[in-house]
Amino acid sequence: ASGILNDTWEWDGVQWTNVTPAGATPPLLSRSAMVFDVARNAVLLFGGTGTFADSDQTWLFDGVRWSRLMTSTVPPALDGPALAHDGLRGRTVLFGGYSRPGSSLSQETWELTATDWVRLASPTSPFARSRAVACFDWARRRVFMFGGSRFGTAQTDGWEWDGVTWSLVP
């Protein structure tokens, strides 16, 4: 009811604590994607929508401070992309999202390597969507993505990313 807040909260397994990070903080955003990036030992935040536009910024929170990760290449500004960290390959995988300037859904796959965002091509791909959820499945050694929304229609399919191609999960 009070709008978008600019606070950072930590969960210790029992309770939430509002923390005040040192230095700069990400812009006011909603529908961002966040994941713990094992390779960077930090929470990674990408995208989201602000007051006037969608964001293409990548931020890291190390438990003390937020810092903006500057890369030479960035995915487009997206609202509601799916994000997961592939702990096996040490890369963060991003798929889809909604772009307000073009009022379109993304069908792109991006990975954040040790140094930069890289757009990847896959011989097969999920339909474009926003607000899907993704995680890394250690048993199957793949990123798993489920659901999302395609222009207001709920998606109920699951997909796996093995680092090269997307496969529909039967």
Side-chain angles (χ1 to χ4, degrees):
S2 61
I4 299 172
L5 303 176
N6 191 22
D7 46 2
T8 301
W9 290 76
E10 290 182 343
W11 173 252
D12 66 5
V14 177
Q15 68 182 12
W16 285 98
T17 304
N18 189 350
V19 297
T20 305
T25 59
L28 296 175
L29 297 167
S30 63
R31 295 189 292 267
S32 301
M34 293 179 77
V35 69
F36 186 73
D37 185 319
V38 177
R40 289 177 172 77
N41 195 32
V43 173
L44 185 142
L45 176 144
F46 178 83
T49 187
T51 306
F52 301 106
D54 295 334
S55 173
D56 66 354
Q57 295 180 5
T58 304
W59 286 80
L60 298 171
F61 182 66
D62 64 6
V64 176
R65 72 184 68 243
W66 283 101
S67 58
R68 185 164 176 202
L69 181 63
M70 303 300 285
T71 56
S72 59
T73 307
V74 294
L78 296 167
D79 169 344
L83 197 64
H85 184 73
D86 181 335
L88 191 64
R89 296 182 314 115
R91 294 180 173 210
T92 295
V93 180
L94 180 148
F95 181 84
Y98 180 76
S99 174
R100 269 198 291 182
S103 295
S104 62
L105 288 170
S106 173
Q107 193 175 11
E108 295 178 351
T109 301
W110 290 79
E111 284 189 344
L112 181 59
T113 67
T115 58
D116 207 358
W117 282 104
V118 178
R119 183 177 174 203
L120 302 172
S122 173
T124 58
S125 181
F127 287 119
R129 65 193 66 208
S130 66
R131 303 182 191 166
V133 292
C135 65
F136 187 71
D137 182 338
W138 280 98
R140 297 182 53 79
R141 305 168 70 101
R142 292 181 164 91
V143 168
F144 176 74
M145 181 179 73
F146 176 78
S149 176
R150 184 171 169 77
F151 299 114
T153 302
Q155 303 299 292
T156 59
D157 51 347
W159 289 82
E160 290 181 330
W161 172 253
D162 64 7
V164 178
T165 190
W166 284 102
S167 302
L168 182 62
V169 177

